[in-house]
Amino acid sequence: MSTTTPLTGTTGDSAGAASAPAPGSRRGGILSTARTLATAARVLRQLRHDPRSIALMILVPCVMLVLLRYVFDGSPRTFDSIGASLLGIFPLITMFLVTSIATLRERTSGTLERLLALPLGKGDLIAGYALAFGLLALIQSTLATGLAVWALGLDVVGSPWLLLLVALLDALLGTALGLFVSAFAASEFQAVQFMPAVIFPQLLLCGLFTPRPAMQPVLEAISDVLPMSYAVDGMNQVLRHTDMTGDFVRDVLVVAGCALLVLALGAATLRRRTP
């Protein structure tokens, strides 16, 4: 499945022709708002010409939710019980796939090497990517949440805005994980291979199929340190409680903290080129 086209280019229209700066001119240790925004704008310009990637990121979660709703057409309570959890899981998976492959193509095409020869630090680059894909994640989460709650009749006791918040954080977590694992892949096929290693164990242990306390104790302990478990728990809190609970706040903070931690690791492990 083709998901992205190489995000070639530079942070400015003529930046590709710029020569490498003199040593000491790079400010890689400090995040620059201007350089981060320029990187995000470049990524968004490239994605604008890649409708397949946009469709994958924005439309596929919505299509999956529609299919899920009518799979359980005769049992709407079943859709209510798992629909909220999958509302967060679908965006995480799609953002993971697209982001990991897009970043890898940047590196294999030589774009990252050219960009990092400019006064652009790794932190600026990762933050720019996160901002660009985060904007798409916001659009994706808004559409999926609106579709699930108001069109497909997902019955939630709490506020749909809290549901949207968790869905957005899940999509951002998928973006961060995709940026991180792209550093360890040498090809697009290897990037896709990381999905069974990174996503599937979390999917099995997050509490979607059975409550986590009912799992074998070792598996339950493992699930306690996986971010997707807290994403599902957060969705379930909104599903069952009218007000924001302490557990919900904990779940949101854990997912957001994991996303920030993985982004920092992504900046630390970012490579200029693929060996």
Side-chain angles (χ1 to χ4, degrees):
M1 177 179 63
S2 175
T3 57
T4 55
T5 56
L7 299 179
T8 56
T10 60
T11 54
D13 293 338
S14 61
S19 59
S25 63
R26 183 189 300 273
R27 293 171 289 175
I30 302 175
L31 283 177
S32 165
T33 302
R35 294 195 295 266
T36 297
L37 291 176
T39 300
R42 179 187 64 82
V43 174
L44 290 173
R45 283 197 302 269
Q46 292 299 124
L47 285 173
R48 185 179 60 184
H49 301 293
D50 187 5
R52 289 174 296 180
S53 294
I54 294 176
L56 178 62
M57 286 184 284
I58 295 179
L59 297 182
V60 167
C62 295
V63 173
M64 297 298 290
L65 285 170
V66 171
L67 288 175
L68 184 69
R69 167 63 181 84
Y70 289 103
V71 164
F72 297 108
D73 190 42
S75 180
R77 288 187 177 274
T78 304
F79 175 70
D80 291 338
S81 64
I82 67 173
S85 299
L86 291 175
L87 180 60
I89 292 174
F90 287 155
L92 188 155
I93 293 174
T94 56
M95 294 305 294
F96 171 84
L97 282 173
V98 173
T99 307
S100 59
I101 294 176
T103 310
L104 178 65
R105 287 188 176 184
E106 290 273 74
R107 195 173 71 242
T108 55
S109 66
T111 302
L112 280 183
E113 185 176 7
R114 293 194 298 271
L115 287 172
L116 292 175
L118 300 169
L120 180 72
K122 291 182 178 181
D124 298 317
L125 191 66
I126 289 294
Y129 272 82
L131 182 61
F133 285 107
L135 178 60
L136 293 172
L138 175 61
I139 297 173
Q140 176 197 74
S141 301
T142 302
L143 288 176
T145 303
L147 175 69
V149 174
W150 289 294
L152 301 180
L154 180 66
D155 186 15
V156 293
V157 176
S159 169
W161 294 107
L162 296 180
L163 208 64
L164 172 60
L165 174 62
V166 181
L168 175 59
L169 290 175
D170 290 345
L172 292 175
L173 176 61
T175 298
L177 288 171
L179 290 170
F180 175 64
V181 302
S182 67
F184 304 98
S187 66
E188 293 177 24
F189 181 67
Q190 287 187 4
V192 175
Q193 284 180 314
F194 273 106
M195 186 172 172
V198 176
I199 300 297
F200 286 179
Q202 297 192 67
L203 187 63
L204 292 174
L205 299 177
C206 68
L208 177 65
F209 301 105
T210 186
R212 291 195 293 127
M215 296 179 183
Q216 201 274 343
V218 173
L219 294 181
E220 182 184 1
I222 295 174
S223 73
D224 287 339
V225 298
L226 299 178
M228 191 182 290
S229 299
Y230 296 91
V232 170
D233 286 349
M235 288 294 194
N236 288 333
Q237 290 293 316
V238 180
L239 190 67
R240 298 166 183 164
H241 301 279
T242 56
D243 299 321
M244 186 185 302
T245 64
D247 287 342
F248 175 82
V249 174
R250 177 208 61 191
D251 296 333
V252 166
L253 291 177
V254 169
V255 175
C258 287
L260 291 175
L261 175 61
V262 175
L263 282 177
L265 292 174
T269 57
L270 182 67
R271 292 183 293 166
R272 291 171 178 248
R273 67 177 71 182
T274 299

